[in-house]
Amino acid sequence: MNYLSTRKNAPAVAADRAIRAGVAPDGGLYLPQTFPSFSLEQFDDKHSVADIGETLLRPFFENSPLAENLTAICQSAFNFNVPLIQPDPSQPDLSILELFHGPTGAFKDFGARFLFRCLDHIASPADPVTVLAATSGDTGGAVGCAAEGGSNARAVILYPKGRISAFQERQLCCWSHPVNALRVDGDFDDCQRLVKTAFSNIALSTEYGLTSANSISIGRLLPQMSYWSQAALAHFRETGSRPGFIIPSGNLGNAVAAIMARICGMPIGPIVLATNANGALHHWQQSGDYIARAAIATIANAMDVGNPSNFERLNQLQNAKIDAVYKVDNCAIKARISDTLTKFDYIACPHTATALEAYSRLDHRARQHRRWIIAATAHPYKFADVVDPLIGTSTNLPANLASVATRDVSVTDIAATDRALAAALA
Ligand SMILES: *Cc1c(COP(=O)(O)O)cnc(C)c1O
């Protein structure tokens, strides 16, 4: 299996090269050149996310040296629970797929852990890899955690000073070798600019083997197909019908992964997106015109994206049907969090709440017709500042996040200049 750039101006490469590069040399995003087509019997004796992921991903790594390590990569990257729960006994057709039981409490753990295990095999002491990530949310924590303890791939995480919550900051700064957190004297845009300039500096890029851990990396999208497939297969085996998915979306990585799984023949019904007030996808779905916008800050901040990078992939995939897009503003998110607690005794994070709200807006027939699986993308504890006032109590620290609270932290302060970043990389 080879991967081609969405901009069609770069050579086809195998999985390890596409993962290592992050972005293609022509500035495009890598997509598989063809998609394997599975019959469901191939999964008959597979039940866990790790086992299903391994079978599903095998053809995607066919001509790559990583194929040899795929079993170990899947087993160690997908080693936490992915419960499918039914919040309301009176609504058996509503399920929530909790994707936040990994070590940093967000679904980003799947992609980051898989990516780093691949990079650790791809890189070597003579050919180092440095993942450079600018973050204001869940990606940085997941990347730091995934990189910790690795030998050949290090992570350098940039975040804006004084602009993230205390828990988020801990979660970026608590990882040991080979992870470095850089606190930038500037805002998130400064962090992104520094990272972009570093990537385009060929000398710097080559010296440190810079690459990205953003969801432009195909190494994050491939593993995300695994839990969608696991959830769909489990439901299909039980009932013979295909569940619909409702996906809280920002940069569209999670949604594109679900679409890729459906293209491979997984029994997935309609795919519905829920966004916050950032309206590019909603407008596109309504009008057919895609207009990139500046991001608006919302309380579902991991989805504050005005110009989702994976739109470029969505646009190129054949059969990439999105069935509906619902745009949910702050007010509706808050109301849905309160309502979900009152009605189901369930606490949703603001991102998950956009999908629960989208479910309530589906027309009656669509709701009656099939099971809907809502992705819960983060543990509500991570967004306690938003959630607690709405539910009138404090969200409990879950076991998977407890160690973050007690670890030592270390951070390097840098000015928002290219020279300061280059010095910190050295
Ligand atoms: C990253 C993130 C999203 C958005 O996922 P995309 O793949 O960027 O669409 C949603 N919810 C949470 C909690 C996230 O961290």
Side-chain angles (χ1 to χ4, degrees):
M1 165 91 60
N2 275 326
Y3 293 77
L4 282 177
S5 164
T6 46
R7 301 194 188 165
K8 306 277 191 267
N9 220 344
V13 293
D16 52 295
R17 297 269 308 281
I19 289 172
R20 156 105 208 213
V23 65
D26 63 355
L29 311 189
Y30 282 115
L31 268 176
Q33 195 162 20
T34 55
F35 280 86
S37 174
F38 289 91
S39 68
L40 300 188
E41 295 80 65
Q42 288 173 266
F43 295 90
D44 273 352
D45 56 344
K46 315 270 188 263
H47 299 279
S48 67
V49 173
D51 290 349
I52 288 170
E54 185 194 337
T55 303
L56 182 76
L57 295 177
R58 175 92 24 219
F60 291 92
F61 286 84
E62 222 170 16
N63 56 337
S64 160
L66 284 174
E68 237 178 88
N69 314 106
L70 188 62
T71 307
I73 291 172
C74 289
Q75 298 296 332
S76 98
F78 309 143
N79 68 345
F80 48 88
N81 282 341
V82 190
L84 184 66
I85 61 152
Q86 259 171 268
D88 180 6
S90 72
Q91 291 190 71
D93 282 334
L94 168 62
S95 303
I96 298 180
L97 185 65
E98 292 189 341
L99 301 173
F100 55 68
H101 294 275
T104 72
F107 83 95
K108 302 284 197 300
D109 282 323
F110 288 95
R113 288 163 70 79
F114 187 91
L115 174 67
F116 267 89
R117 277 154 183 74
C118 291
L119 289 174
D120 238 5
H121 287 290
I122 293 168
S124 68
D127 182 18
V129 166
T130 300
V131 169
L132 199 55
T135 182
S136 60
D138 293 324
T139 299
V143 161
C145 176
E148 188 181 60
S151 34
N152 301 320
R154 74 168 170 157
V156 176
I157 301 163
L158 285 75
Y159 70 92
K161 181 176 176 176
R163 300 187 191 233
I164 66 175
S165 76
F167 181 81
Q168 276 180 323
E169 184 158 15
R170 273 205 146 262
Q171 213 177 28
L172 297 179
C173 301
C174 72
W175 313 108
S176 55
H177 186 77
V179 185
N180 299 98
L182 303 180
R183 179 164 52 197
V184 176
D185 192 6
D187 60 16
F188 180 59
D189 291 333
D190 292 320
C191 296
Q192 276 199 311
R193 175 178 50 76
L194 291 179
V195 166
K196 268 198 185 147
T197 317
F199 283 140
S200 62
N201 178 333
I202 293 172
L204 204 65
S205 243
T206 317
E207 183 171 0
Y208 299 110
L210 298 184
T211 189
S212 160
N214 188 285
S215 63
I216 56 173
S217 170
I218 192 74
R220 269 183 57 181
L221 294 202
L222 292 172
Q224 290 178 193
M225 295 162 66
S226 309
Y227 50 77
W228 293 126
S229 302
Q230 194 268 347
L233 282 165
H235 181 69
F236 190 78
R237 282 173 184 146
E238 197 186 308
T239 64
S241 71
R242 296 160 183 267
F245 288 150
I246 307 182
I247 308 178
S249 296
N251 224 359
L252 270 181
N254 211 0
V256 168
I259 289 167
M260 295 194 328
R262 188 168 67 182
I263 294 173
C264 294
M266 294 296 108
I268 297 169
I271 292 175
V272 169
L273 309 186
T275 72
N276 59 25
N278 287 280
L281 294 169
H282 182 255
H283 179 81
W284 161 72
Q285 221 258 337
Q286 299 282 307
S287 68
D289 290 331
Y290 179 79
I291 304 165
R293 307 170 181 210
I296 310 169
T298 75
I299 57 173
N301 64 11
M303 301 175 3
D304 290 348
V305 181
N307 181 18
S309 20
N310 281 295
F311 188 79
E312 194 163 328
R313 284 194 171 103
L314 186 68
N315 222 1
Q316 295 239 329
L317 284 169
Q318 312 258 303
N319 315 319
K321 186 166 180 315
I322 294 289
D323 293 88
V325 180
Y326 291 92
K327 186 173 80 168
V328 183
D329 63 19
N330 278 350
C331 240
I333 293 174
K334 288 183 182 168
R336 186 52 54 188
I337 292 173
S338 310
D339 222 48
T340 305
L341 180 75
T342 318
K343 287 197 184 130
F344 310 156
D345 199 23
Y346 187 83
I347 303 176
C349 87
H351 313 83
T352 307
T354 65
L356 286 161
E357 174 66 15
Y359 176 76
S360 78
R361 294 186 196 172
L362 290 178
D363 78 59
H364 188 65
R365 284 220 332 275
R367 265 206 312 251
Q368 294 279 302
H369 195 59
R370 65 175 75 244
R371 168 76 56 93
W372 288 91
I373 295 178
I374 283 167
T377 47
H379 193 286
Y381 181 83
K382 296 189 82 170
F383 300 92
D385 53 335
V386 175
V387 172
D388 288 359
L390 294 168
I391 62 173
T393 170
S394 34
T395 324
N396 292 327
L397 176 66
N400 54 331
L401 299 183
S403 81
V404 169
T406 54
R407 278 168 164 255
D408 291 336
V409 293
S410 80
V411 61
T412 307
D413 282 296
I414 68 165
T417 64
D418 299 331
R419 194 194 294 182
L421 176 58
L425 280 170

